[in-house]
């Protein structure tokens, strides 16, 4: 009799572990759904199991395929703070509560994106002004902003590791990306809609692990390096973070991506970084089935790379050389770059602390280009053209905003060269929307460069307070 009861109990237990409808972790209570895009909900169940999903009075029914996969799609929803419940029902029922509709962004990169709201060992307080991250951690919870933190894992994973969606509060904010949060906070305040932020970053990571291996295998530039089963691009395993921390999130509807990465690629003076960033952007957009998804990123900050003990010995021009590559990445459609040359207290610290301003500057791009705030100035002055007039060079700029300004007595970090290509420090002055550059020792100038040193923290801005992009005219 005991054996029969044990058999019945085990059979019941086995049945209880079957026929369970499951959702990826990116779906959960407290989440934000992207407005104005179809809502795709997917998951797993037993093969041929019937699945019913209810969302705001709408119902979708489907049947899991032979592998147990299922998917339903709802029409696009409008942003609202009115929370609702999503019901997913098979042989079991799942309830996703306190769901809202608004704007969702993915925040990724290396340590300067991972940089947390609560200071960790090695992080420093800002030398100037109030630590806004510390102030934010004293605030009550804010249900207008929801956070989803992806845990760091590598290799092929069916799902991300996470604690799920959480309302912004001191406890959920403490381990969350500071630039990501302040980016989202700026959007939330400007747009007055719920904002959802997904943080998926890894300190010290290069760009190659965030792009899948097959993207490199199918690239004319990289495919020879991935023949014969090779999985590495310049000794970095392609896709190992993408497969665990990005791919399982797709195709969860989102507005776009923000990215803060590049330090680890500069450390071996990666001349192909433009091609790698374009490959990453193209791949992520393809996976999310939206070729126009915005991608905004941060130009890495001034830092003593020449004093590092890397395999490559850097000179003081390695960083501006890399800045030039990052500037070129803005040629990729629907991309933009925030410049942070002025946000550094200590050139020996690769993690500058003013992440609230980093996030704010990133947010200016979508506010202007994606959310219709056309009067928003979203970039500092960017070199456009030059004209040689006698012994001076006159420079023209895009993104002058309401005017150019010098934050000091005279402009710094301008250099000029003649036909010999030898640059010398130059004098420079603002003349309307132009800058005039000259040096007494160069009678026939040919070229100008600006901010062309790893220590350059120039004082050239537009009147909206956004710093000029480092450049060289040749």
């Amino acid at each position: 009799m005991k054996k029969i009861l044990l058999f019945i109990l085990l059979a019941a237990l086995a049945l209880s572990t079957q026929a369970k409808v499951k959702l990826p972790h990116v779906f959960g209570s407290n989440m934000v759904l992207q407005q104005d895009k179809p809502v795709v909900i997917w998951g797993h169940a037993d093969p041929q199991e019937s699945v019913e999903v209810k969302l705001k009075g709408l119902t979708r029914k489907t049947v899991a395929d032979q592998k147990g996969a299922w998917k339903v799609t709802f029409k696009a929803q409008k942003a609202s703070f009115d929370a609702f419940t999503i019901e997913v029902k098979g042989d079991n029922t799942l309830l996703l509560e306190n769901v809202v509709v608004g704007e969702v962004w993915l925040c990724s990169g290396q340590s300067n994106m991972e940089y947390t709201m609560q200071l960790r060992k090695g992080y420093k307080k800002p030398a100037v002004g109030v630590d806004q991250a510390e102030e934010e951690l004293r605030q009550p919870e804010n249900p207008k902003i929801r956070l989803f933190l992806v845990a760091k894992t590598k290799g092929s994973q069916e799902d991300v590791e996470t604690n799920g969606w959480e309302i912004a509060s001191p406890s959920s904010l403490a381990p969350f990306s500071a630039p990501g949060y302040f980016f989202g906070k700026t959007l939330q305040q400007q747009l007055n809609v719920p904002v959802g932020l997904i943080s998926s970053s890894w300190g010290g990571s290069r760009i190659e692990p965030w792009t899948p291996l097959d993207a490199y295998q199918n690239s004319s530039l990289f495919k020879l390096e991935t023949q014969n089963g090779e999985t590495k691009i310049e000794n970095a395993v392609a896709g190992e973070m993408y497969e665990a921390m990005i791919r399982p999130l797709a195709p969860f509807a989102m507005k776009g991506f923000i990215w803060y990465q590049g330090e680890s690629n500069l450390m071996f003076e990666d001349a192909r970084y433009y091609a790698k960033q374009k490959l990453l952007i193209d791949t992520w957009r393809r996976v999310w089935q939206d070729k126009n998804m915005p991608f905004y990123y941060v130009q890495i900050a001034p830092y003593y790379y020449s004093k590092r003990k890397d395999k490559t010995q850097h000179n003081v021009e390695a960083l501006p050389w890399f800045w030039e590559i990052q500037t070129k990445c803005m040629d990729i459609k629907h991309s933009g770059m925030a410049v942070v040359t002025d946000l550094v207290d200590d050139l020996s610290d690769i993690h500058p602390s003013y992440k609230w301003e980093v996030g704010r500057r990133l947010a200016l791009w979508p506010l202007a280009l994606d959310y219709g705030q056309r009067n928003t100035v979203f970039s500092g002055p960017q070199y456009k053209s030059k004209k040689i007039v006698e012994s001076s060079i006159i420079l023209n700029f895009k993104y002058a905003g309401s005017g150019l300004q010098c934050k000091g007595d005279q402009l710094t970090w301008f250099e000029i060269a003649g036909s010999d290509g030898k640059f010398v420090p130059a004098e420079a002055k603002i003349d309307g929307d132009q800058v005039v550059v000259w040096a007494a020792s160069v009678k026939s100038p040919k070229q100008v460069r600006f901010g062309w040193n790893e220590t350059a923290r120039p004082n050239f801005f537009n009147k909206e307070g956004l710093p000029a992009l480092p450049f060289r005219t040749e």
Side-chain angles (χ1 to χ4, degrees):
M1 185 64 180
K2 288 183 179 179
K3 289 183 179 180
I4 295 173
L5 289 173
L6 180 60
F7 174 79
I8 294 172
L9 180 62
L10 291 173
L13 182 62
L15 287 172
S16 71
T17 62
Q18 296 175 357
K20 291 287 188 183
V21 171
K22 295 181 180 179
L23 292 168
H25 289 146
V26 73
F27 292 101
S29 295
N30 302 315
M31 71 177 170
V32 181
L33 298 177
Q34 175 62 44
Q35 69 167 327
D36 297 331
K37 285 190 175 184
V39 179
V40 180
I41 300 176
W42 73 94
H44 280 83
D46 274 359
Q48 301 302 308
E49 183 176 353
S50 295
V51 178
E52 179 181 273
V53 183
K54 294 182 178 180
L55 182 155
K56 297 183 73 172
L58 302 172
T59 301
R60 298 287 183 269
K61 296 181 180 180
T62 189
V63 176
D65 66 17
Q66 293 299 322
K67 294 183 179 180
W70 59 268
K71 179 175 71 175
V72 297
T73 302
F74 291 87
K75 67 180 182 181
Q77 304 291 308
K78 293 297 181 183
S80 174
F81 293 108
D82 295 331
F84 57 93
T85 297
I86 297 175
E87 180 183 286
V88 181
K89 186 176 182 180
D91 291 343
N92 61 305
T93 300
L94 303 175
L95 296 178
L96 311 182
E97 299 175 317
N98 195 28
V99 178
V100 291
V101 179
E103 293 296 316
V104 182
W105 286 79
L106 173 63
C107 319
S108 189
Q110 59 178 111
S111 58
N112 272 303
M113 182 63 84
E114 186 184 5
Y115 191 105
T116 54
M117 291 287 288
Q118 186 173 63
L119 290 183
R120 292 179 177 174
K121 184 179 180 180
Y123 294 173
K124 297 178 181 178
K125 286 181 175 289
V128 178
V130 174
D131 186 338
Q132 292 189 27
E134 186 177 74
E135 291 293 303
E136 205 70 24
L137 292 174
R138 296 194 181 102
Q139 303 304 311
E141 74 172 26
N142 180 5
K144 296 178 180 180
I145 300 176
R146 315 291 179 87
L147 311 174
F148 186 90
L149 179 59
V150 176
K152 293 190 285 189
T153 51
K154 294 181 180 180
S156 181
Q157 302 283 342
E158 285 301 312
D159 204 353
V160 296
E161 294 184 17
T162 177
N163 289 329
W165 285 94
E166 299 178 283
I167 291 172
S169 68
S171 61
S172 62
L173 277 174
F176 200 80
S177 163
Y181 171 72
F182 285 105
F183 168 85
K185 182 183 179 184
T186 303
L187 293 185
Q188 199 288 310
Q189 291 176 330
Q190 290 292 316
L191 303 174
N192 194 29
V193 299
V195 168
L197 300 167
I198 299 174
S199 178
S200 183
S201 303
W202 195 311
S205 61
R206 285 171 34 180
I207 196 171
E208 299 88 349
W210 295 103
T211 308
L213 176 62
D214 63 0
Y216 285 102
Q217 291 171 331
N218 294 322
S219 165
S220 59
L221 183 61
F222 297 101
K223 63 182 180 182
L224 289 178
E225 295 167 58
T226 57
Q227 290 181 344
N228 303 318
E230 179 57 60
T231 62
K232 291 184 177 181
I233 300 293
E234 289 165 311
N235 210 35
V237 179
E240 65 176 348
M241 292 161 193
Y242 169 85
E243 294 296 340
M245 299 175 66
I246 299 294
R247 181 189 55 76
L249 300 171
F252 188 84
M254 299 187 296
K255 183 70 172 183
F257 315 106
I258 59 171
W259 176 254
Y260 194 161
Q261 193 277 337
E263 297 91 343
S264 289
N265 286 77
L266 180 148
M267 288 173 191
F268 69 97
E269 298 188 8
D270 187 357
R272 299 190 294 177
Y273 190 82
Y274 169 85
K276 292 174 183 178
Q277 181 155 316
K278 187 176 188 305
L279 191 63
L280 178 144
I281 293 171
D282 289 346
T283 303
W284 287 16
R285 288 173 174 168
R286 175 175 52 80
V287 169
W288 264 271
Q289 301 176 19
D290 184 349
K291 63 181 180 180
N292 297 321
M293 261 178 114
F295 186 97
Y296 302 120
Y297 60 98
V298 183
Q299 189 176 65
I300 60 177
Y303 172 70
Y304 282 133
Y305 285 96
S306 63
K307 297 184 178 183
R308 290 183 61 88
K309 294 182 179 179
D310 293 328
K311 292 181 179 179
T312 300
Q313 179 58 52
H314 312 294
N315 62 38
V316 296
E317 295 182 8
L319 177 56
W321 170 82
F322 195 78
W323 282 339
E324 191 173 56
I325 295 174
Q326 289 190 296
T327 298
K328 180 176 172 53
C329 288
M330 286 196 290
D331 293 345
I332 303 167
K333 289 183 178 180
H334 308 290
S335 294
M337 182 178 73
V339 178
V340 297
T341 49
D342 59 321
L343 301 183
V344 177
D345 293 324
D346 179 359
L347 287 165
S348 65
D349 184 4
I350 203 168
H351 301 119
S353 60
Y354 302 92
K355 294 298 191 283
W356 46 91
E357 180 62 11
V358 176
R360 187 192 74 86
R361 290 180 188 178
L362 277 171
L364 297 175
W365 284 86
L367 287 172
L369 302 183
D370 305 303
Y371 294 120
Q373 296 189 8
R374 301 191 183 279
N375 292 328
T376 298
V377 177
F378 51 87
S379 174
Q382 182 180 357
Y383 168 72
K384 182 169 65 174
S385 63
K386 76 174 190 291
K387 181 180 180 181
I388 300 174
V389 179
E390 297 179 348
S391 60
S392 299
I393 295 182
I394 299 174
L395 305 173
N396 293 288
F397 295 88
K398 299 187 290 185
Y399 310 128
S402 59
L404 305 177
Q405 71 162 325
C406 170
K407 290 189 175 183
D409 295 330
Q410 60 185 96
L411 292 172
T412 59
W413 289 104
F414 280 90
E415 297 173 287
I416 200 166
S419 56
D420 60 2
K422 295 180 180 179
F423 283 93
V424 299
E427 296 185 73
K429 68 176 182 179
I430 294 171
D431 184 7
D433 285 342
Q434 299 176 320
V435 172
V436 183
V437 186
W438 73 97
S441 61
V442 181
K443 301 301 182 183
S444 300
K446 302 296 182 184
Q447 306 170 40
V448 171
R449 64 186 186 185
F450 166 73
W452 208 256
N453 190 291
E454 67 184 11
T455 65
R457 290 175 284 180
N459 60 5
F460 178 34
F461 295 74
N462 57 28
K463 288 184 178 178
E464 283 68 27
L466 299 175
L469 284 66
F471 67 89
R472 53 181 173 178
T473 58
E474 73 271 29

